[in-house]
Amino acid sequence: MRIERLETFPLLYKLARPYGDANGYKKYRSCFLIKITTSSGLTGWGECVDWLPTLEIGFQQRIIPFLLGKQATDRNQLVSTVSKWHRRSAAGVSMALTAILAERAALPLADLWGGSRWQEVPVYASFQSYTPEPDWPHVSRKMAEKAVAEGFTQLKVKIGGRSLAEDQQHIEQLQQTFAGQVQLALDANQSYDFATTKSWRSLLVAWSNWMWLEEPMPLDQREDYQRLRTDWPIPIAGGENLTSMRDFVALIQQGSLDIFQPDTMHCEQIDTYREIVQFSRQAGLRVSPHAYDGALSRMYAAIAQACLASWSKMEPAELEPVEWDVMENPFSRLLSVQPRNGRLAVPQGIGLGVELDMELIESLRWDGQLYL
Ligand code: MG
């Protein structure tokens, strides 16, 4: 079962209207898919995130020549070599080779990972709350209302990019709009110091429908996170940018977080992602995948999530949600499986078990021009 072909699909979409978070506005969305085909005709898809020229040149010049002719089953060895050159490319390669293994076994990917425990996984609507309009909180509220009308019951909104007063007014207005009928997570993208984080306390204790506060401070301030957690009214979440088990273990040992948020495209490989997810569960911690930047990679996260037991013994059993990008983004429509009422049906088909819209892929191909 040798690797016979590796195709790349770099895709780019310019946004009609920018949107963003505390890190600034996004003007475009990009997507980089790879498809590996073996000599026996099996195929597997993966996804990588980075600047498209970096990924495309890396694959064409170095990774593809290296992988062609290699045994598709030598995943660990191949991926660790690619990872030395470019870790995020290696993550995509590891996804594709894992899907090929599931295809070879003629099993759904979930079966390869111990079997699915859930028919559906919950997904939360994830927003980029900041837009250029002066009355951006109004725009944000309209977006949230649309998502709730579509059946989402869990929302994540951004804070940390405007003044404390402006952000808190936005959140208070959202709470009053939904009167506590939805669950809300706040993501500060590591904007604050310890004192500013604490100034959210009075707003947080006024409501009971919070999912979590995400990355209020730089994540390397582990002692501040530990101090915050000793007396904080809601769970603290984070970890989307971490890459290795070593980083996660350090956070666990320090007692920094209640909810871990690994990302399948940021971890060294899909196996590392799975190990972190399983380890979090065994350590008695919740895990809610970060999956903002990729539709295909998010499906890998959803399937791994479906293989987890409930995070507590409380009834009804509960599974932590997977992030679902609800902003303007055509790549969200690439896969045949979409959520309904805030839940995503776990694919039952062989391999990854989803179809990709090849027409949409072709229509969004990056033209090779540099972009910023
Ligand atoms: Mg975040």
Side-chain angles (χ1 to χ4, degrees):
M1 202 165 63
R2 294 190 180 277
I3 297 172
E4 190 169 84
R5 197 161 64 246
L6 195 160
E7 297 156 84
T8 62
F9 301 85
L11 315 177
L12 188 71
Y13 177 75
K14 190 172 185 329
L15 294 172
R17 187 182 70 175
Y19 51 68
D21 56 20
N23 292 323
Y25 288 128
K26 295 171 174 63
K27 295 182 195 141
Y28 57 83
R29 299 298 297 266
S30 66
C31 170
F32 191 90
L33 302 174
I34 63 164
K35 180 186 182 187
I36 295 179
T37 306
T38 69
S39 51
S40 49
L42 300 173
T43 58
W45 288 81
E47 184 172 10
C48 317
V49 64
D50 209 321
W51 196 39
L52 294 178
T54 302
L55 292 166
E56 182 64 8
I57 291 169
F59 268 93
Q60 297 301 339
Q61 302 291 321
R62 195 164 199 191
I63 298 169
I64 294 174
F66 166 72
L67 287 175
L68 292 186
K70 300 287 196 310
Q71 284 292 349
T73 43
D74 288 338
R75 185 173 71 255
N76 285 344
Q77 202 181 327
L78 299 178
V79 170
S80 68
T81 299
V82 174
S83 187
K84 284 177 199 155
W85 303 333
H86 194 249
R87 181 174 36 76
R88 290 182 167 191
S89 297
V93 171
S94 77
M95 291 176 207
L97 293 179
T98 303
I100 284 173
L101 212 60
E103 278 214 7
R104 176 73 176 82
L107 292 170
L109 181 56
D111 286 2
L112 209 64
W113 286 346
S116 179
R117 293 169 182 261
W118 307 79
Q119 302 276 315
E120 298 176 323
V121 295
V123 293
Y124 68 85
S126 187
F127 297 92
Q128 299 278 303
S129 304
Y130 300 130
T131 51
E133 290 83 356
D135 193 7
W136 62 268
H138 175 74
V139 178
S140 162
R141 212 158 58 244
K142 289 290 160 202
M143 290 193 298
E145 283 173 345
K146 182 168 175 284
V148 171
E150 286 167 3
F152 285 99
T153 57
Q154 298 180 313
L155 317 179
K156 182 168 93 182
V157 292
K158 297 293 187 177
I159 60 173
R162 298 287 189 271
S163 74
L164 205 53
E166 202 174 350
D167 272 346
Q168 292 191 342
Q169 195 178 20
H170 169 226
I171 300 305
E172 187 66 44
Q173 284 172 352
L174 273 182
Q175 285 285 32
Q176 281 166 13
T177 300
F178 298 112
Q181 295 306 300
V182 299
Q183 287 188 291
L184 212 56
L186 306 180
D187 183 2
N189 291 91
Q190 309 193 14
S191 282
Y192 300 137
D193 63 0
F194 186 66
T196 314
T197 302
K198 282 200 298 180
S199 58
W200 278 87
R201 170 182 281 278
S202 57
L203 196 154
L204 295 180
V205 295
W207 299 88
S208 59
N209 57 325
W210 306 108
M211 291 197 286
W212 62 72
L213 173 64
E214 182 170 324
E215 300 195 338
M217 303 171 284
L219 209 56
D220 57 6
Q221 292 177 209
R222 289 184 196 143
E223 287 178 6
D224 284 337
Y225 272 88
Q226 189 186 21
R227 272 202 293 159
L228 191 69
R229 269 190 77 216
T230 57
D231 180 32
W232 194 245
I234 70 170
I236 304 286
E240 66 192 57
N241 291 313
L242 298 177
T243 59
S244 68
M245 179 59 88
R246 183 199 302 252
D247 295 337
F248 272 83
V249 168
L251 282 167
I252 287 172
Q253 284 175 331
Q254 198 89 29
S256 305
L257 300 170
D258 298 281
I259 301 170
F260 280 78
Q261 300 175 299
D263 188 308
T264 54
M265 291 198 291
H266 298 168
C267 287
E268 279 166 345
Q269 54 169 310
I270 194 69
D271 300 85
T272 310
Y273 175 84
R274 281 259 305 143
E275 285 160 9
I276 287 168
V277 166
Q278 297 289 337
F279 190 99
S280 300
R281 189 55 104 241
Q282 285 162 25
L285 296 158
R286 277 184 265 173
V287 58
S288 180
H290 179 266
Y292 190 72
D293 278 315
L296 182 81
S297 54
R298 178 173 56 207
M299 198 52 68
Y300 282 90
I303 292 171
Q305 198 75 356
C307 298
L308 289 177
S310 178
W311 64 270
S312 85
K313 292 181 182 174
M314 295 186 287
E315 293 289 348
E318 234 184 273
L319 184 66
E320 305 91 313
V322 175
E323 181 168 29
W324 198 272
D325 174 9
V326 291
M327 300 302 292
E328 181 203 0
N329 180 1
F331 306 124
S332 298
R333 303 194 306 270
L334 282 178
L335 300 189
S336 53
V337 180
Q338 295 290 320
R340 287 183 58 180
N341 294 323
R343 304 189 79 79
L344 183 74
V346 179
Q348 304 292 321
I350 287 169
L352 193 58
V354 293
E355 298 298 321
L356 282 142
D357 185 336
M358 293 309 297
E359 261 181 51
L360 186 59
I361 286 177
E362 287 308 325
S363 73
L364 293 167
R365 261 195 190 268
W366 171 51
D367 61 7
Q369 298 292 310
L370 298 186
Y371 61 97
L372 295 170

